[in-house]
Amino acid sequence: MSMASQVASGTGPSSLGLSLLLLLLHLSPEGISGHSASLPPGCLMMGLLKASCQGLGLRTFPTALPLTVAHLDLSHNRLQVLQDNATRDQPDLRHLDLRGNQLEGLAPGSLLPLRWLHALVLAGNSLNRRYVSNSQALWPLSHLRLLDLSANHLESDMVSFYVANRSSLWSLDLSNNLITRLARSTFLGAPKLLDIDLSDNYILQIEAGAFEGLLQLRELSLARNSLHCISDFSLRALWRLNLSFNALQFFATEEGNWSYQLQVLDLSHNQLRAMPTPLALPHLHHLNLSDNRLTSLGPHSPSSPRDPEMVPTQSASDPAADLPELTDLDLSRNQLDRLPVGFLSQLSALQRLSMGWNCLQNMSVQQPGPGPPLLSLRSLDLQGNRIQTFPSWVFEILPGLRALDLGDNELQLCARPEAGRAGPFQGLRQPFGSAFHLKHLSLSRNGLRRLCATRLPPALLFSLDLSGNPGLALVPGDFRGLQHSLHELSLRGNGMASAHLGLPCLWELRALDLSGNQLASLPQSLNCSPSLHSLDLRRNLLQALDTEVLGAHLRSVFLAGNPFLCCSLGWLATLASANVSVPDSEEAWCVYPGGERGSRAPLARDHSHLCNRWQWRGTQAGWVLLAVIGLFLGSCGATALLQNSGKLPWARQLRARPKPEPEHKPTLGRESVVERREPEQK
Ligand SMILES: *[C@@H]1O[C@H](CO)[C@@H](O)[C@H](O)[C@H]1NC(C)=O
Ligand SMILES: *[C@@H]1O[C@H](CO)[C@@H](O)[C@H](O)[C@H]1NC(C)=O
Ligand SMILES: *[C@@H]1O[C@H](CO)[C@@H](O)[C@H](O)[C@H]1NC(C)=O
Ligand SMILES: *[C@@H]1O[C@H](CO)[C@@H](O)[C@H](O)[C@H]1NC(C)=O
Ligand SMILES: *[C@@H]1O[C@H](CO)[C@@H](O)[C@H](O)[C@H]1NC(C)=O
Ligand SMILES: *[C@@H]1O[C@H](CO)[C@@H](O)[C@H](O)[C@H]1NC(C)=O
Ligand SMILES: *[C@@H]1O[C@H](CO)[C@@H](O)[C@H](O)[C@H]1NC(C)=O
């Protein structure tokens, strides 16, 4: 019997001092194994304080765990009822995880011994049953900070029972239940709550004042509910509010000058047709309005058409916004048809803007706004619109732009007849000509076939994505000015043949993605990209790699999906000896020439044996072929000669001899006959 179990089972008061001493002795890493003797089979100690009895099929609360255990994981067992005094042996538990059991009954005294419990996780049980008595079992937990009741089939009225008398509680998780309504009294019992998760319920209605008493509330998630309208949001102390995935058509904050503390507001995936009003959130830095129905950023005011005096001073589509700290704005997946230049110019701290998947189309119709340039914007996502012309004034009002994503548009870069030098289309022919600070540009999936000497952003361009433009053909001149800046280039999925891949020397190139093309050889220009370290060649038509053109810094190359020749893999050995890794070598294959079925084999395998045999059989086939030709020619000649003379000595020989083994057929002329004979002579 180990000393630990003596401690655990020691009862007499006289032995208490000794037990404590022994216990202290055991507070060393070597003592852990001693403790585990008293653990239920399958439980693990993780350090001195944590025990995990996860997924062991336990039906009762384990007894006689080490006294040191403060954190007990009993998740995913089969506890159904927690009996009175069940937790008697663990009075010092701080954290108890009972997630994923089948709990439906908590006897009134079941948690009574856990005076110091801080966190109780009851997620994924059936505490909707007997909720009145079960909730009373929680009353003694006077130090409870965190209570997780998610996924317990709880309905609205049951919640107030569990929340009653929870004045110590800071964090409450009620997500994934069946709540439809929050009453004014729901959270009265837990006035010190800092965060509440109510996501994944069916909340339709929130009574006014439901959160009023919660003066310290900082985080609230109401995501994935059925809310239609928030007409006077008044939680001024809140930092984070998540209202995503509801059915909101309207969101309005309260008027007044005690400012909101809100920093993160997620309104994505709703049905908003207008911006929240009034938009004065001085500490907001993240606003997500993705996936709504905004057609303009104008305020939602049905009265304005009737009241011409109400027309906003700026412009109908640009509401006044007081968002001085906003850095991230997501307007993607709406129905906006123009860049809201006036609105954006009020956002002095904005760094990242997404307007992907909207209805931007002809950006040249829009004239630059009057406002000052928006200096702070670093990243602009315009993916998935229908932009055909991209005017250069965008870079004039966004001089600090570093990353621009124009993927999934219909950009036309080649000269159009009306695009004169001085006309309204000035700047359209060289849209990127003034993008002096742009570092990342994506022109992926635009149906581009030529770049037509478009001046790509000069000087600083670091990465360029031209992937997904099937049929693209490049000439070295397309990369004018980029030879010393471009580090990353993607030409993935363009179906380009080697002849259409006109790359100049890209001296600084580090990563090149050429996957999904029709290359039969590596571009020779790679030999002037000495720093290249990552190369993706998947899904091409390569039979071998010319390692001569690859620089010394290459670290990884992806190769799967090429018809490499199994019997000329010398280059693979060269790569290996240069420490170049082939991360997808398991998926790469090669072919044995000869085209038989099943001649495809994993690239990484050792092919020497099969290749020797193949070479042998190859020569064999050659011999047979030559023999047949020789035989044919010979017999033709012979018949011709025989018709003439019929007495040439070798013709007679030929007839007289028995048919030789095909591989010994002497058809290659004298030398090979001699060669073949040599082994026989040995
Ligand atoms: C629980 O423990 C207390 C004190 O040890 C004891 O008085 C009480 O009878 C126990 N209750 C049950 C139901 O075992
Ligand atoms: C709070 O708990 C006490 C016992 O600790 C109980 O008497 C009281 O009824 C409870 N109050 C509510 C509102 O449930
Ligand atoms: C809001 O909740 C949704 C759904 O739970 C989640 O995906 C999203 O990340 C949350 N938003 C924020 C800003 O945390
Ligand atoms: C607004 O703030 C001023 C002082 O800053 C105060 O006198 C006034 O009462 C406040 N108004 C409201 C509606 O809170
Ligand atoms: C905005 O919300 C959408 C949907 O919930 C999400 O996909 C997107 O990543 C969010 N945007 C940001 C910037 O977090
Ligand atoms: C874009 O707008 C201009 C000015 O209104 C117009 O002349 C041009 O035809 C439009 N281009 C396209 C492709 O719609
Ligand atoms: C390859 O890597 C091994 C171990 O990581 C190292 O010892 C060896 O020097 C490397 N060889 C080359 C050519 O870099």
Side-chain angles (χ1 to χ4, degrees):
M1 183 188 240
S2 79
M3 292 194 278
S5 42
Q6 280 173 31
V7 171
S9 59
T11 43
S14 60
S15 68
L16 189 63
L18 179 63
S19 302
L20 278 177
L21 184 64
L22 289 175
L23 182 66
L24 286 175
L25 286 174
H26 269 272
L27 292 177
S28 60
E30 306 86 68
I32 297 170
S33 55
H35 282 297
S36 62
S38 64
L39 289 174
C43 293
L44 296 170
M45 284 300 289
M46 294 144 104
L48 282 174
L49 303 178
K50 274 178 128 179
S52 167
C53 304
Q54 205 188 90
L56 296 177
L58 300 178
R59 291 173 188 277
T60 54
F61 200 92
T63 50
L65 289 162
L67 279 172
T68 53
V69 171
H71 186 126
L72 177 58
D73 181 354
L74 284 174
S75 62
H76 306 290
N77 280 293
R78 297 205 192 135
L79 293 157
Q80 253 177 332
V81 175
L82 220 49
Q83 301 293 355
D84 268 330
N85 288 353
T87 57
R88 180 185 46 211
D89 293 343
Q90 300 312 131
D92 291 332
L93 271 191
R94 297 290 199 276
H95 187 117
L96 176 58
D97 188 344
L98 288 164
R99 161 195 334 250
N101 278 277
Q102 296 153 8
L103 278 175
E104 50 185 64
L106 305 174
S110 58
L111 301 170
L112 195 60
L114 306 180
R115 281 155 304 169
W116 304 108
L117 198 67
H118 278 178
L120 179 58
V121 180
L122 292 166
N125 284 290
S126 301
L127 293 173
N128 55 325
R129 315 238 173 101
R130 306 193 219 165
Y131 61 92
V132 178
S133 61
N134 286 346
S135 63
Q136 286 169 4
L138 304 185
W139 286 350
L141 304 175
S142 56
H143 291 88
L144 200 64
R145 300 272 188 250
L146 180 150
L147 177 60
D148 184 347
L149 283 164
S150 60
N152 269 286
H153 317 285
L154 297 179
E155 292 167 22
S156 312
D157 48 344
M158 301 174 185
V159 171
S160 13
F161 282 89
Y162 281 105
V163 178
N165 256 352
R166 296 263 57 92
S167 57
S168 60
L169 207 60
W170 288 350
S171 174
L172 176 62
D173 191 342
L174 289 166
S175 62
N176 253 298
N177 279 296
L178 306 172
I179 304 168
T180 54
R181 193 174 56 88
L182 298 176
R184 204 181 151 82
S185 61
T186 301
F187 299 107
L188 278 184
K192 293 197 191 137
L193 278 173
L194 296 174
D195 73 85
I196 307 178
D197 190 346
L198 285 159
S199 60
D200 285 289
N201 278 284
Y202 299 90
I203 300 171
L204 270 163
Q205 193 198 349
I206 301 178
E207 270 182 24
F211 298 101
E212 205 159 68
L214 307 178
L215 296 179
Q216 301 177 40
L217 193 63
R218 295 291 179 267
E219 282 192 36
L220 175 60
S221 176
L222 286 160
R224 299 184 189 277
N225 277 284
S226 309
L227 294 166
H228 281 83
C229 168
I230 303 279
S231 55
D232 55 348
F233 170 72
S234 59
L235 299 176
R236 291 168 190 267
L238 209 60
W239 290 352
R240 298 176 69 97
L241 174 60
N242 195 336
L243 284 163
S244 67
F245 294 88
N246 276 278
L248 289 179
Q249 295 178 356
F250 191 72
F251 179 88
T253 54
E254 222 182 32
E255 303 274 357
N257 61 2
W258 187 53
S259 73
Y260 285 90
Q261 298 300 311
L262 204 61
Q263 296 172 8
V264 175
L265 175 56
D266 191 343
L267 288 165
S268 65
H269 203 93
N270 276 288
Q271 293 166 20
L272 295 172
R273 287 170 195 279
M275 294 292 272
T277 48
L279 206 45
L281 298 167
H283 300 292
L284 196 70
H285 56 73
H286 175 108
L287 175 58
N288 196 336
L289 285 160
S290 167
D291 204 355
N292 275 282
R293 297 188 181 168
L294 302 173
T295 50
S296 78
L297 298 187
H300 190 69
S301 51
S303 60
S304 55
R306 275 181 274 125
D307 187 357
E309 303 293 309
M310 287 284 289
V311 171
T313 47
Q314 255 194 319
S315 105
S317 62
D318 296 331
D322 181 11
L323 302 167
E325 293 184 11
L326 192 70
T327 55
D328 290 89
L329 175 58
D330 193 339
L331 290 169
S332 62
R333 298 184 191 278
N334 278 283
Q335 294 155 23
L336 300 168
D337 62 359
R338 58 184 57 210
L339 207 60
V341 175
F343 176 76
L344 296 177
S345 66
Q346 305 170 67
L347 308 180
S348 55
L350 193 66
Q351 295 194 4
R352 283 165 292 271
L353 171 65
S354 175
M355 290 200 56
W357 315 101
N358 274 281
C359 309
L360 303 179
Q361 195 166 357
N362 187 351
M363 291 189 64
S364 56
V365 275
Q366 198 183 353
Q367 289 307 306
L374 185 56
L375 292 167
S376 59
L377 197 71
R378 293 284 178 274
S379 157
L380 176 59
D381 181 354
L382 293 173
Q383 271 188 88
N385 282 281
R386 268 189 248 137
I387 300 170
Q388 294 166 2
T389 52
F390 191 79
S392 59
W393 57 255
V394 173
F395 297 103
E396 280 149 31
I397 60 167
L398 305 176
L401 205 61
R402 298 285 187 274
L404 173 62
D405 193 339
L406 281 167
D408 275 299
N409 278 290
E410 295 166 14
L411 219 55
Q412 292 170 358
L413 293 177
C414 293
R416 288 142 18 111
E418 72 269 34
R421 279 237 143 242
F425 289 96
Q426 184 182 17
L428 288 183
R429 285 198 53 193
Q430 299 298 355
F432 309 113
S434 54
F436 294 109
H437 298 289
L438 203 62
K439 293 189 78 171
H440 308 276
L441 174 63
S442 171
L443 298 174
S444 137
R445 298 180 304 278
N446 267 274
L448 297 173
R449 307 196 118 236
R450 300 283 182 278
L451 297 189
C452 293
T454 302
R455 262 189 72 207
L456 289 167
L460 281 172
L461 198 69
F462 186 94
S463 76
L464 176 61
D465 186 351
L466 287 168
S467 64
N469 288 296
L472 183 67
L474 296 173
V475 295
D478 291 331
F479 293 86
R480 202 159 21 116
L482 303 182
Q483 280 115 307
H484 292 278
S485 66
L486 206 59
H487 279 56
E488 294 169 6
L489 175 62
S490 175
L491 294 166
R492 169 189 295 247
N494 289 340
M496 301 169 90
S498 298
H500 291 148
L501 185 61
L503 292 180
C505 276
L506 296 169
W507 298 101
E508 296 300 327
L509 202 61
R510 302 288 197 276
L512 176 61
D513 186 348
L514 290 171
S515 62
N517 283 290
Q518 295 177 12
L519 303 180
S521 61
L522 288 181
Q524 287 300 312
S525 62
L526 289 188
N527 65 13
C528 45
S529 298
S531 310
L532 189 71
H533 64 63
S534 162
L535 181 59
D536 192 339
L537 295 168
R538 281 174 284 187
R539 301 186 308 284
N540 272 290
L541 302 176
L542 296 163
Q543 296 194 317
L545 288 198
D546 179 3
T547 49
E548 298 277 303
V549 302
L550 298 173
H553 289 89
L554 194 65
R555 266 180 252 143
S556 65
V557 52
F558 290 84
L559 293 172
N562 280 287
F564 292 116
L565 299 179
C566 296
C567 295
S568 34
L569 291 179
W571 56 270
L572 197 58
T574 311
L575 290 184
S577 64
N579 273 356
V580 177
S581 77
V582 181
D584 63 347
S585 67
E586 296 291 311
E587 296 147 54
W589 43 268
C590 62
V591 290
Y592 287 102
E596 300 172 27
R597 276 179 68 81
S599 63
R600 224 166 102 154
L603 186 70
R605 195 193 280 172
D606 174 19
H607 301 282
S608 53
H609 170 68
L610 277 169
C611 283
N612 289 342
R613 209 172 90 194
W614 171 78
Q615 266 157 0
W616 182 78
R617 272 166 54 197
T619 14
Q620 196 179 22
W623 285 114
V624 173
L625 186 65
L626 286 169
V628 168
I629 294 170
L631 204 61
F632 175 73
L633 289 176
S635 58
C636 288
T639 32
L641 282 168
L642 281 174
Q643 277 167 1
N644 293 340
S645 70
K647 293 208 165 129
L648 270 176
W650 59 267
R652 255 181 283 139
Q653 268 181 3
L654 207 71
R655 269 191 218 145
R657 255 195 207 179
K659 199 178 179 193
E661 291 289 311
E663 68 265 37
H664 293 297
K665 196 83 179 181
T667 45
L668 272 189
R670 196 163 312 195
E671 285 132 35
S672 53
V673 172
V674 171
E675 263 177 34
R676 285 282 157 189
R677 277 184 190 150
E678 267 170 8
E680 288 168 22
Q681 287 161 355
K682 272 177 196 167

